[in-house]
Amino acid sequence: MCIYTELNRLAAYGLKAGLFEKQDLIFIKNQLLLLLNLDGFENDDDVTAVPDVEITDLEDILKNILDYAVEKGLTGGEGVVYRDLFDTRLMSVMVDRPSNIVKKFNSFYEKSPKEATDFFYKLSQDSDYIRRYRVSKDLKWISKTPYGDMDITINLSKPEKDPKAIAAAKLMKQAGYPKCLLCKENEGYAGRVNHPARENHRIIPIELAGEKWGFQYSPYVYYNEHCIVFKFEHSPMAISRKTFERLLDFVEKFPHYILGSNADLPIVGGSILTHDHFQGGAYEFPMAKAPVETEFTVKGFEDIKCGIVKWPMSVIRVAAFRKERLVEFAEHVLEKWRAYTDEKAFIFAETDGEKHNTLNPIARRRGDLFELDLVLRNNITTAEHPLGVYHPHAELHHIKKENIGLIEVMGLAILPGRLKTELSDLNVALRAKKDISSIENISKHADWCKELCAKYDFTSMTEEKCDAVLKEEVGHVFNKVLEHAGVYKYTEEGKSAFMRFVETL
């Protein structure tokens, strides 16, 4: 491997992806030489050489350069954390300044919001902020349930830290800068072993409800054009009237996108409660496809179309032509739900001074209509269910133990990467009729497998058939996960309890 060849290939990639103009080629190459501690090229022809490359060659190009950098002691370590820090620095050389990116985005926006987001999404991938070659490794399939098709993914794109990097991170003094992974100060930040590099990261400033917010994409894109919209001010998650105003403002500006919010309480909230933010994108989630089963009207809001959605969680769908009216109604629902107690249904607004009720709001456009889905959440715990009554119970933890956040609420399961190996091992063990409880890495699935063996004869299955069955059954477990997270069960008794709350509106 010749480092000069790989450097030329990287520059050729940046040129082909449109990250910079041909006039900048020598400048870009000189910056790459600097990062690799090289004084110059061996051959004069290398200075202007532009070899043929494909966009899909990036992973191979970066691997070769990183191998060289590790060998020369330029990365500070050998693991994926150190390699990611270094290759982000390499890619950042080819990414334009934020002000120029914003100007280009706004220029495209004048033509259409979709052209603007198309430009920005492509940039976020071409710059390797979104690592296409990792995202493509995620396992995805669809599972049929009584509530419609659910989207199931096993996340393999988020790299696991190596033990040396974890140890180094523990020894590091907590810098406090940036304050969190969502802060605007991440733009262009070099990163460290306990904070990812963001030198190739760009943010588009937008205004929502008269406030400054930032628009960016998730580096792990769990679905198409998975975007994050965050408040410029570092302030905690809070569901309020302002939340509905911001969400509806956004879908008015970007009608081809949806946008929703995680809840603002522990257990039912997302992984980052310290910074107010939303998630959205150009994707129709299973919940959006679910029909309204029971329509109702609310006095004083007769102009608003209301209904209960056929979904394993408790969802009120409302729609109107005027977004201001939706804001007023959503605030009304929030205030009623925050204070609502129904002991018969085991719903308590608060216990011992701790508030339990909150919402997941999701906004979208349907033609000229503005639409909101309001998902009722409650984070009460008990001795029997210390992680939450309305949270996956212990018997489901072998598949999903983590909080049920916004994305799962909408019907897309983000399952841990360990399941790829575990499902493969289960496939072998079930077809060989092995004792699952005696196999360490899959023993957690033993009770589940007993249920499956009562339904299927795995010994007669091919590997492909067994794989399909296991995936379908994982989907059924995810369906139960959502049912556990729902404050009202999808039964006649549960529907009746749900209507008791609706009648208070």
Side-chain angles (χ1 to χ4, degrees):
M1 189 277 293
C2 174
I3 187 59
Y4 300 105
T5 298
E6 298 307 317
L7 188 153
N8 282 331
R9 291 179 72 207
L10 181 59
Y13 164 86
L15 192 60
K16 185 167 187 172
L19 293 176
F20 61 88
E21 303 291 333
K22 193 164 187 177
Q23 184 178 341
D24 300 321
L25 182 63
I26 293 174
F27 172 83
I28 294 295
K29 288 191 178 184
N30 282 334
Q31 295 302 302
L32 293 172
L33 286 171
L34 175 65
L35 290 177
L36 293 166
N37 202 23
L38 296 169
D39 293 329
F41 289 98
E42 290 182 325
N43 303 307
D44 290 343
D45 290 345
D46 282 334
V47 178
T48 56
V50 183
D52 288 335
V53 295
E54 299 297 330
I55 295 299
T56 52
D57 292 339
L58 182 60
E59 181 180 17
D60 179 63
I61 295 169
L62 290 176
K63 178 188 179 300
N64 292 337
I65 295 176
L66 287 168
D67 288 346
Y68 171 87
V70 169
E71 181 184 338
K72 297 297 182 182
L74 301 176
T75 60
E78 300 178 6
V80 66
V81 171
Y82 297 100
R83 293 171 73 95
D84 281 2
L85 289 169
F86 194 81
D87 72 7
T88 301
R89 190 164 302 145
L90 292 170
M91 293 302 299
S92 72
V93 166
M94 301 186 290
V95 183
D96 207 348
R97 294 291 181 99
S99 57
N100 291 331
I101 299 298
V102 171
K103 287 175 186 175
K104 289 179 183 177
F105 181 90
N106 290 337
S107 176
F108 280 114
Y109 187 87
E110 288 179 6
K111 299 175 185 176
S112 81
K114 187 177 185 305
E115 284 193 44
T117 56
D118 284 349
F119 154 74
F120 190 42
Y121 190 56
K122 181 179 182 299
L123 170 72
S124 298
Q125 295 177 95
D126 290 341
S127 67
D128 210 36
Y129 166 70
I130 296 172
R131 298 173 184 260
R132 288 188 183 102
Y133 44 87
R134 286 186 184 165
V135 173
S136 65
K137 294 174 183 175
D138 288 351
L139 299 181
K140 300 181 180 183
W141 68 91
I142 292 173
S143 181
K144 296 187 180 301
T145 78
Y147 308 98
D149 292 346
M150 295 290 181
D151 295 333
I152 312 296
T153 67
I154 294 180
N155 174 38
L156 302 172
S157 58
K158 199 170 185 177
E160 294 185 10
K161 291 184 178 180
D162 59 274
K164 289 183 180 179
I166 292 171
K170 286 181 179 178
L171 294 174
M172 284 190 71
K173 182 181 178 182
Q174 293 301 310
Y177 181 88
K179 290 180 180 177
C180 77
L181 291 169
L182 293 177
C183 285
K184 62 182 182 294
E185 289 81 10
N186 281 282
E187 188 176 42
Y189 186 62
R192 50 187 190 268
V193 294
N194 61 354
H195 193 103
R198 291 291 182 255
E199 289 165 289
N200 56 351
H201 172 44
R202 297 295 180 262
I203 296 166
I204 304 297
I206 59 175
E207 184 177 292
L208 298 179
E211 303 168 333
K212 291 182 179 179
W213 284 65
F215 171 73
Q216 65 180 58
Y217 289 102
S218 164
Y220 310 114
V221 284
Y222 295 133
Y223 51 87
N224 187 49
E225 297 181 46
H226 178 183
C227 70
I228 297 173
V229 179
F230 65 95
K231 196 173 184 179
F232 264 15
E233 176 191 351
H234 180 82
S235 56
M237 295 289 295
I239 304 296
S240 67
R241 179 187 177 96
K242 271 287 187 184
T243 303
F244 311 128
E245 291 176 358
R246 296 161 184 155
L247 293 174
L248 292 168
D249 262 12
F250 181 86
V251 296
E252 184 173 46
K253 294 177 190 290
F254 301 96
H256 60 301
Y257 272 19
I258 63 104
L259 195 69
S261 177
N262 269 305
D264 55 354
L265 294 178
I267 296 176
V268 295
S271 59
I272 301 178
L273 290 171
T274 56
H275 197 135
D276 213 350
H277 69 285
F278 308 129
Q279 295 184 78
Y283 191 73
E284 186 176 32
F285 283 87
M287 190 171 78
K289 301 174 189 176
V292 167
E293 188 172 62
T294 306
E295 294 187 356
F296 62 89
T297 57
V298 176
K299 186 177 180 181
F301 295 97
E302 289 83 2
D303 56 321
I304 293 178
K305 191 176 180 180
C306 307
I308 293 175
V309 179
K310 184 182 179 182
W311 195 245
M313 297 185 70
S314 309
V315 186
I316 295 173
R317 180 169 294 163
V318 295
F321 289 103
R322 292 175 53 214
K323 64 178 184 176
E324 295 80 11
R325 288 291 286 160
L326 270 192
V327 169
E328 291 173 12
F329 183 73
E331 182 184 30
H332 175 67
V333 174
L334 176 63
E335 289 177 350
K336 290 288 187 179
W337 179 243
R338 290 275 198 203
Y340 185 73
T341 291
D342 182 349
E343 294 187 14
K344 186 179 178 182
F346 203 77
I347 293 170
F348 297 88
E350 64 175 78
T351 56
D352 300 324
E354 180 185 356
K355 296 185 182 300
H356 298 302
N357 291 345
T358 186
L359 294 175
N360 280 125
I362 300 105
R364 66 180 73 89
R365 297 292 297 275
R366 291 196 192 269
D368 293 331
L369 279 172
F370 291 91
E371 187 173 273
L372 278 175
D373 280 351
L374 305 173
V375 187
L376 308 183
R377 306 299 300 274
N378 180 288
N379 76 344
I380 195 168
T381 61
T382 63
E384 184 183 2
H385 301 296
L387 297 180
V389 172
Y390 306 108
H391 177 88
H393 294 174
E395 67 268 22
L396 305 181
H397 289 178
H398 65 105
I399 297 294
K400 178 74 175 178
K401 184 178 181 180
E402 299 79 11
N403 289 359
I404 303 306
L406 173 69
I407 296 172
E408 284 97 351
V409 164
M410 295 189 288
L412 193 161
I414 303 171
L415 303 178
R418 62 174 170 81
L419 283 175
K420 179 184 178 182
T421 301
E422 290 173 11
L423 290 177
S424 177
D425 290 348
L426 281 172
N427 188 316
V428 173
L430 286 167
R431 287 185 297 113
K433 212 170 184 179
K434 292 183 179 179
D435 178 11
I436 305 297
S437 63
S438 66
I439 305 172
E440 185 177 356
N441 73 310
I442 56 175
S443 60
K444 65 176 74 70
H445 301 290
D447 290 342
W448 180 50
C449 287
K450 286 180 183 176
E451 296 176 16
L452 297 185
C453 287
K455 291 174 63 177
Y456 304 102
D457 177 12
F458 287 101
T459 60
S460 64
M461 289 185 186
T462 62
E463 181 181 352
E464 292 74 18
K465 174 63 176 176
C466 185
D467 179 65
V469 167
L470 286 173
K471 285 180 176 177
E472 190 67 20
E473 290 295 336
V474 166
H476 295 162
V477 172
F478 177 63
N479 186 59
K480 292 178 182 177
V481 162
L482 292 187
E483 289 178 337
H484 284 198
V487 293
Y488 296 112
K489 306 310 170 194
Y490 202 78
T491 61
E492 290 306 315
E493 184 180 355
K495 293 177 189 177
S496 176
F498 197 168
M499 285 307 299
R500 288 201 296 271
F501 169 67
V502 168
E503 287 164 5
T504 69
L505 300 176

